[in-house]
Amino acid sequence: MARLTEIAGLNAFWGGVFVPTMGGLHEGHLELVRKAKDLGHPVVVSVFVNPDQFNDQDDYADYPRQFEADAAQAEAAGADLVWGPSNAVIYPQGEDVATPDLPRVATHPGLEDAHRPGHFAGVLRVVQRLFDLVRPEVAVFGEKDWQQLQVVQSMVDRDGGPRIHAMPTCREAEGLARSSRNERLSPLAKQRARAVYLALQAAGAANHPSTAERVMRETLESHDLEVEYAVVRSSVGLRSVDDFSRPSRALIAAWLDGVRLIDNLPMPVWT
Ligand code: PAF
């Protein structure tokens, strides 16, 4: 097991399985690390709070920074290397770290792209930079940020890169998706936040995407969540759908007590 903060020494870990994170590790991240161990060797976990992908500077400032604790947890879950580079290592002064062209799924769906302008440019810039430095065979991403997963997959399909391994969202007992931001909710707010999972489940029982969207919105609003979007889209490409004849996802973004919750669930395919 090793810990690094610089680029020097990373080459000893090239060709492995990579779990990129922004730290604040929770059970969801640790499941990714455990799965990574099954997929190959060595397992590299990065911990880097990427300033480029935050729209809200308070959110960036509040993001947990606890490298030693994160590294200890990642190691216990099986990481061979925990890499915690500084901003200067990722974005060195005088070096142009390019932003890859954004694929359609990063600009057109009107979901995270519309509500977090610039976010995916920041994500792809850092992900490409991390891939260039870590040079993994496989990279593991959670499904919770479904649009991010599609955006990264599209970039790799177009430009080449590691095989992307997607992992289902890790949930608390009552369905709330595990996330660093959800950790900021009070116990009472967590109870109300369950409405997100209830809404997604209700969507899966609807007989038409438009009904699913209405039911999700009603469920969220009845728990006093402020809805940004509650939609059903094609799983790949995130295009509008008229029926459930192909793989689709219900996707939600909603605010609760100043915390932005996002989640999604696959919808049944009707044959
Ligand atoms: O999903 C995340 O935690 C981040 O967006 C990622 C992929 C580590 C890039 O900063």
Side-chain angles (χ1 to χ4, degrees):
M1 280 176 300
R3 294 179 189 180
L4 287 176
T5 53
E6 299 296 331
I7 293 173
L10 265 186
N11 56 342
F13 297 86
W14 284 352
V17 186
F18 180 39
V19 184
T21 83
M22 295 207 299
L25 297 194
H26 49 69
E27 188 51 32
H29 294 110
L30 301 179
E31 276 199 358
L32 303 186
V33 179
R34 288 184 206 111
K35 179 66 192 176
K37 264 172 75 80
D38 295 340
L39 296 173
H41 183 82
V43 171
V44 177
V45 175
S46 65
V47 174
F48 178 64
V49 187
N50 175 31
D52 236 22
Q53 69 186 75
F54 284 82
N55 312 85
D56 174 355
Q57 283 317 300
D58 288 343
D59 190 23
Y60 174 61
D62 289 350
Y63 215 83
R65 286 167 179 78
Q66 43 176 55
F67 181 67
E68 295 305 319
D70 285 340
Q73 288 198 81
E75 285 165 359
D80 299 294
L81 172 68
V82 186
W83 182 45
S86 63
N87 285 359
V89 166
I90 295 296
Y91 303 120
Q93 257 199 342
E95 196 178 314
D96 181 27
V97 176
T99 302
D101 289 341
L102 294 183
R104 185 191 178 287
V105 72
T107 53
H108 278 61
L111 305 177
E112 296 302 290
D113 49 309
H115 292 279
R116 303 188 65 189
H119 170 67
F120 286 129
V123 169
L124 283 193
R125 185 172 182 230
V126 79
V127 167
Q128 185 58 62
R129 174 80 172 148
L130 295 170
F131 285 173
D132 286 346
L133 295 171
V134 176
R135 302 206 194 174
E137 281 284 316
V138 183
V140 184
F141 286 81
E143 290 185 351
K144 182 174 155 288
D145 293 346
W146 184 260
Q147 191 175 2
Q148 168 176 281
L149 176 63
Q150 299 309 309
V151 168
V152 171
Q153 183 68 65
S154 298
M155 177 182 77
V156 168
D157 290 346
R158 183 192 62 202
D159 300 342
R163 178 166 70 77
I164 305 299
H165 184 92
M167 282 283 289
T169 302
C170 177
R171 299 183 181 280
E172 294 183 11
E174 286 171 332
L176 181 64
R178 291 194 189 269
S179 99
S180 311
R181 291 191 181 85
N182 294 358
E183 298 298 319
R184 296 179 194 161
L185 295 169
S186 68
L188 205 63
K190 273 197 171 182
Q191 289 293 323
R192 279 169 54 212
R194 284 172 48 209
V196 174
Y197 190 57
L198 291 177
L200 291 168
Q201 285 182 310
N207 59 5
H208 192 274
S210 61
T211 317
E213 293 183 351
R214 180 174 48 76
V215 167
M216 284 194 286
R217 191 167 280 273
E218 284 170 3
T219 307
L220 295 165
E221 289 176 350
S222 70
H223 287 78
D224 281 339
L225 272 75
E226 194 187 318
V227 183
E228 269 189 359
Y229 58 78
V231 296
V232 179
R233 294 294 176 84
S234 62
S235 299
V236 176
L238 297 176
R239 294 171 190 265
S240 301
V241 290
D242 290 332
D243 56 37
F244 288 122
S245 63
R246 287 160 202 255
S248 64
R249 290 247 156 191
L251 302 113
I252 286 175
W255 286 90
L256 171 59
D257 286 358
V259 178
R260 186 170 185 271
L261 309 173
I262 61 167
D263 202 351
N264 68 87
L265 216 56
M267 295 292 95
V269 178
W270 290 19
T271 47

